[in-house]
Amino acid sequence: MASATSVRPVDGGAWTLENDAVTVVVNPARGTDILSLVWRATGEEILWRSPHWVDRVPAADTADASDVSFFDNYAGGMQELFPNAGPPTTVRGAPLPFHGEAARRSWAAEAVDTADGTALRCVTRLARYPFRMTKTFWLDGSVLRFRSEVENLSTRALPSNWGLHPAFNTATVARAATVYGPFEELTAHPEEFGARQWMTPGEKRRVPAVAPGVGALELAPGEGPTADLGYATVTGGWFGLRSPGCGLVATMSWQSELFPEIWVWQECHAPGDYPWWGTEHIVAVEPHTTSPFMPLGERLERPGVPVVAGGSTLSAEFTLGVHAIADDEVPVDVDERGVPVLITVPDEGEGVA
């Protein structure tokens, strides 16, 4: 039986959720970032943490819209990007910052009792877009489950981009990583993303299958120096990420009808200048409503931009988990609780036709 969850505030404005399996740190002081997910059996951290913020909790930062401001305060972990998931832009007269306002704002937080046990509920209201946002987190074994709601307080239908931005620890599950999921192809960002790249701009790379409908994408070698961003359309809302010999697999799941794409972001000791100075290896696998990375204001000229009707609320549920896995196992699905479905394969590198 799963243990009860402890939900409590800690120094710096963050909160922890903890049970026998995992410890999670959430930061309502800035964007409800998920700062940490620790597998308690071994103490291993699953999320990538910026070395500048390992012992500190960043606070709200809403005045400066630039990417520089975002990276100055980027602690790693996972952010919610809304209503803009690209560079700074202006929509309907509203200046929207790099990666959206939600990831920079302070949220009110409280522990609440729910049908799923003790949970952490966070609420904020955006200043530049007429939206109230509510996010509720709870633990289910070694899975962090969360529900995110965006409510349009105006009478006007408004466009948006919505994405989750999790970066994974390249000392554990993302060291020499393979991403498993229901996709067949990865397409590189159409424009140059770095001085050196693992994939050329616009390149399409076929992903070998390990089971019917499940691809296995081996990521760039971590030594670099390369920087890349790629996109894959999914037929279901899940992925698994693991490194050989780690003994753990990180998983996410979501509603693919709302988030039909994943972005794969890799910084392999690049760029050599700001903000990483060639010191970091970062891997992120991100569910998104659309691609490619671009300002919301420019995306309005393209079809398929998500629109939230005036007076309506859009709700989405997600899981983020960590699980034990044998060297000869691979994930081929994630169930409704966020637990991976594993199969045994004789040689993971061979795949199946």
Side-chain angles (χ1 to χ4, degrees):
M1 173 180 284
S3 63
T5 299
S6 166
V7 179
R8 59 186 178 86
V10 293
D11 292 345
W15 287 64
T16 62
L17 296 89
E18 186 172 71
N19 61 15
D20 287 346
V22 292
T23 299
V24 175
V25 179
V26 176
N27 182 23
R30 184 176 188 263
T32 63
D33 289 4
I34 301 170
L35 295 179
S36 177
L37 170 61
V38 171
W39 176 253
R40 294 193 65 194
T42 60
E44 289 174 280
E45 174 63 70
I46 304 307
L47 299 177
W48 180 80
R49 296 293 306 274
S50 168
H52 303 296
W53 290 98
V54 167
D55 300 315
R56 298 180 295 157
V57 175
D61 165 35
T62 55
D64 187 342
S66 72
D67 57 345
V68 172
S69 173
F70 181 88
F71 285 121
D72 282 351
N73 295 278
Y74 174 49
M78 180 163 71
Q79 293 71 43
E80 181 171 17
L81 312 185
F82 184 88
N84 177 43
T89 188
T90 298
V91 177
R92 310 287 193 261
L96 303 179
F98 178 87
H99 276 350
E101 188 182 351
R104 297 166 177 257
R105 290 196 65 78
S106 174
W107 297 52
E110 62 175 342
V112 295
D113 292 326
T114 73
D116 299 301
T118 305
L120 174 65
R121 181 169 295 157
C122 305
V123 181
T124 196
R125 180 167 176 171
L126 304 186
R128 300 182 181 179
Y129 234 40
F131 278 82
R132 177 167 47 232
M133 300 183 66
T134 303
K135 193 182 290 187
T136 306
F137 301 89
W138 68 99
L139 293 180
D140 184 358
S142 64
V143 177
L144 175 67
R145 303 176 67 177
F146 55 103
R147 180 183 305 109
S148 187
E149 300 175 355
V150 295
E151 180 185 1
N152 186 347
L153 301 174
S154 78
T155 58
R156 186 169 186 179
L158 290 170
S160 65
N161 284 344
W162 196 1
L164 276 293
H165 187 280
F168 293 94
N169 189 353
T170 44
T172 56
V173 294
R175 182 180 64 253
T178 301
V179 182
Y180 300 88
F183 52 86
E184 298 179 344
E185 188 175 72
L186 185 73
T187 301
H189 187 69
E191 300 169 348
E192 184 178 276
F193 192 74
R196 290 182 58 184
Q197 296 188 205
W198 174 61
M199 295 177 67
T200 59
E203 177 186 346
K204 295 182 182 295
R205 184 167 295 184
R206 187 77 175 175
V207 176
V210 292
V214 179
L217 172 66
E218 292 194 17
L219 299 184
E223 63 270 13
T226 58
D228 288 88
L229 179 62
Y231 312 103
T233 299
V234 297
T235 57
W238 70 273
F239 69 79
L241 177 74
R242 57 90 61 90
S243 294
C246 175
L248 297 173
V249 59
T251 60
M252 280 197 72
S253 66
W254 64 91
Q255 294 146 274
S256 58
E257 64 272 18
L258 290 177
F259 301 85
E261 308 208 13
I262 57 172
W263 299 7
V264 180
W265 171 48
Q266 303 176 79
E267 301 276 3
C268 301
H269 301 282
D273 299 325
Y274 178 88
W276 312 124
W277 304 104
T279 61
E280 300 302 320
H281 177 200
I282 309 169
V283 168
V285 185
E286 314 171 23
H288 278 268
T289 53
T290 55
S291 69
F293 171 79
M294 65 188 306
L296 177 59
E298 293 181 17
R299 192 180 298 281
L300 300 183
E301 303 171 2
R302 303 187 178 199
V305 176
V307 174
V308 185
S312 70
T313 298
L314 191 59
S315 178
E317 294 199 9
F318 307 88
T319 70
L320 171 68
V322 56
H323 319 268
I325 189 171
D327 286 345
D328 61 352
E329 291 180 319
V330 298
V332 293
D333 201 355
V334 171
D335 71 16
E336 66 278 0
R337 291 181 54 204
V339 177
V341 178
L342 304 174
I343 64 169
T344 302
V345 294
D347 185 341
E348 184 179 334
E350 292 180 0
V352 299

